[in-house]
Coordinates of all heavy atoms in Angstrom, one line a residue:
L1 N 17.1 173.9 -128.0 CA 16.9 173.7 -126.6 C 16.1 172.5 -126.3 O 15.5 171.9 -127.2 CB 16.1 174.9 -126.0 CG 16.2 176.2 -126.7 CD1 15.0 177.1 -126.3 CD2 17.4 176.8 -126.2
L2 N 15.9 172.3 -125.0 CA 15.1 171.3 -124.6 C 14.9 170.0 -125.5 O 13.8 169.8 -125.9 CB 13.7 171.8 -124.3 CG 13.6 172.1 -122.8 CD1 14.2 173.4 -122.5 CD2 12.2 172.1 -122.5
R3 N 15.9 169.4 -125.8 CA 15.8 168.2 -126.6 C 15.5 167.0 -125.8 O 16.4 166.5 -125.1 CB 17.1 168.0 -127.4 CG 17.0 168.8 -128.7 CD 15.6 168.6 -129.1 NE 14.9 169.6 -129.6 CZ 15.1 170.4 -130.6 NH1 16.2 170.3 -131.2 NH2 14.2 171.1 -131.2
A4 N 14.2 166.7 -125.6 CA 13.9 165.6 -124.8 C 13.6 164.4 -125.6 O 13.0 164.4 -126.6 CB 12.6 166.0 -124.0
A5 N 14.2 163.3 -125.1 CA 14.1 162.0 -125.9 C 13.0 161.2 -125.4 O 12.7 161.1 -124.2 CB 15.4 161.3 -125.8
I6 N 12.2 160.6 -126.4 CA 11.1 159.7 -126.0 C 11.1 158.6 -127.0 O 11.0 158.8 -128.1 CB 9.8 160.4 -126.0 CG1 10.0 161.7 -125.2 CG2 8.7 159.5 -125.6 CD1 9.1 162.1 -124.4
A7 N 11.3 157.4 -126.4 CA 11.5 156.3 -127.4 C 10.6 155.2 -127.3 O 10.0 154.8 -126.3 CB 12.9 155.7 -127.3
V8 N 10.4 154.5 -128.4 CA 9.4 153.3 -128.5 C 9.8 152.7 -129.8 O 10.4 153.3 -130.7 CB 7.9 153.7 -128.5 CG1 7.1 152.5 -128.5 CG2 7.7 154.7 -127.3
P9 N 9.4 151.4 -130.0 CA 9.7 150.8 -131.3 C 8.9 151.4 -132.4 O 8.2 152.3 -132.2 CB 9.3 149.3 -131.0 CG 9.2 149.2 -129.6 CD 9.0 150.5 -129.0
A10 N 9.1 150.9 -133.6 CA 8.5 151.5 -134.8 C 7.1 151.3 -134.9 O 6.4 151.8 -135.8 CB 9.2 150.8 -136.0
V11 N 6.4 150.8 -133.9 CA 5.0 150.7 -133.8 C 4.5 151.1 -132.5 O 5.2 151.0 -131.5 CB 4.4 149.3 -134.1 CG1 4.8 148.9 -135.5 CG2 5.0 148.3 -133.2
P12 N 3.3 151.7 -132.3 CA 2.8 152.0 -131.0 C 2.9 150.9 -130.1 O 2.6 149.8 -130.4 CB 1.3 152.5 -131.3 CG 1.3 152.8 -132.8 CD 2.3 151.9 -133.4
L13 N 3.3 151.2 -128.8 CA 3.2 150.1 -127.9 C 3.2 150.6 -126.5 O 3.3 151.8 -126.2 CB 4.6 149.3 -127.9 CG 5.9 150.0 -127.8 CD1 6.4 149.8 -126.4 CD2 6.9 149.7 -128.8
A14 N 2.8 149.8 -125.6 CA 2.6 150.2 -124.2 C 4.0 150.5 -123.6 O 5.0 149.8 -123.9 CB 1.8 149.1 -123.5
V15 N 4.0 151.3 -122.6 CA 5.2 151.6 -121.9 C 5.8 150.4 -121.3 O 7.0 150.3 -121.3 CB 4.9 152.7 -120.8 CG1 6.1 153.0 -120.0 CG2 4.4 154.0 -121.5
G16 N 5.0 149.6 -120.8 CA 5.5 148.4 -120.1 C 6.3 147.5 -121.0 O 6.9 146.5 -120.5
A17 N 6.4 147.7 -122.3 CA 7.1 146.7 -123.2 C 8.6 146.9 -123.1 O 9.3 146.2 -123.7 CB 6.6 147.1 -124.7
F18 N 9.1 147.9 -122.3 CA 10.5 148.1 -122.2 C 10.9 147.9 -120.8 O 10.2 148.0 -119.8 CB 10.8 149.5 -122.6 CG 10.8 149.7 -124.1 CD1 9.7 150.3 -124.6 CD2 11.8 149.4 -124.9 CE1 9.6 150.4 -126.0 CE2 11.8 149.6 -126.3 CZ 10.6 150.1 -126.8
D19 N 12.2 147.5 -120.7 CA 12.8 147.4 -119.3 C 13.1 148.8 -118.8 O 14.0 149.5 -119.3 CB 14.1 146.6 -119.5 CG 14.8 146.4 -118.2 OD1 14.3 146.9 -117.1 OD2 16.0 145.9 -118.1
V20 N 12.3 149.3 -117.8 CA 12.4 150.6 -117.4 C 12.6 150.6 -115.8 O 12.0 151.3 -115.1 CB 11.2 151.5 -117.7 CG1 11.2 151.8 -119.2 CG2 9.9 150.9 -117.3
A21 N 13.6 149.8 -115.4 CA 13.8 149.7 -114.0 C 14.1 151.1 -113.4 O 15.0 151.7 -113.9 CB 14.9 148.8 -113.7
P22 N 13.4 151.5 -112.4 CA 13.6 152.9 -111.9 C 15.0 153.1 -111.3 O 15.5 152.2 -110.7 CB 12.6 153.1 -110.9 CG 12.3 151.7 -110.4 CD 12.4 150.8 -111.6
A23 N 15.6 154.2 -111.6 CA 16.9 154.6 -111.0 C 16.6 155.5 -109.8 O 16.2 156.6 -109.9 CB 17.8 155.4 -112.0
A24 N 16.7 154.9 -108.6 CA 16.3 155.6 -107.4 C 17.0 157.0 -107.3 O 16.4 158.0 -106.9 CB 16.6 154.8 -106.2
A25 N 18.3 157.0 -107.6 CA 19.1 158.3 -107.3 C 18.6 159.4 -108.3 O 18.6 160.5 -108.0 CB 20.5 158.0 -107.6
S26 N 18.0 159.0 -109.4 CA 17.7 160.0 -110.4 C 16.5 160.8 -110.0 O 16.2 161.9 -110.5 CB 17.4 159.4 -111.8 OG 16.2 158.6 -111.7
S27 N 15.7 160.3 -109.1 CA 14.4 161.1 -108.7 C 14.5 161.5 -107.3 O 13.5 162.1 -106.8 CB 13.2 160.2 -109.0 OG 13.3 159.0 -108.2
A28 N 15.6 161.2 -106.6 CA 15.6 161.5 -105.1 C 15.4 162.9 -104.8 O 14.8 163.2 -103.8 CB 16.9 161.0 -104.5
K29 N 15.8 163.8 -105.6 CA 15.8 165.2 -105.3 C 14.8 166.0 -106.2 O 14.8 167.2 -106.2 CB 17.2 165.9 -105.5 CG 18.2 165.3 -104.4 CD 19.5 166.0 -104.5 CE 20.5 165.5 -103.5 NZ 21.8 166.2 -103.6
F30 N 14.0 165.3 -107.0 CA 13.1 165.9 -107.9 C 11.7 165.7 -107.4 O 11.3 164.6 -107.1 CB 13.2 165.3 -109.3 CG 12.2 165.9 -110.3 CD1 12.3 167.2 -110.6 CD2 11.3 165.1 -110.8 CE1 11.4 167.7 -111.5 CE2 10.4 165.6 -111.7 CZ 10.4 167.0 -112.1

């Protein structure tokens, strides 16, 4: 169940190191 994915490179890094442009539609109803 609940297989939630969470990704980062092979070393610890800040969240901002990735392109995470928000998808407006994905959060509109949550």
Side-chain angles (χ1 to χ4, degrees):
L1 327 161
L2 261 80
R3 270 322 140 56
I6 310 219
V8 186
V11 295
L13 58 104
V15 173
F18 287 95
D19 178 6
V20 291
S26 69
S27 59
K29 295 183 179 180
F30 176 67

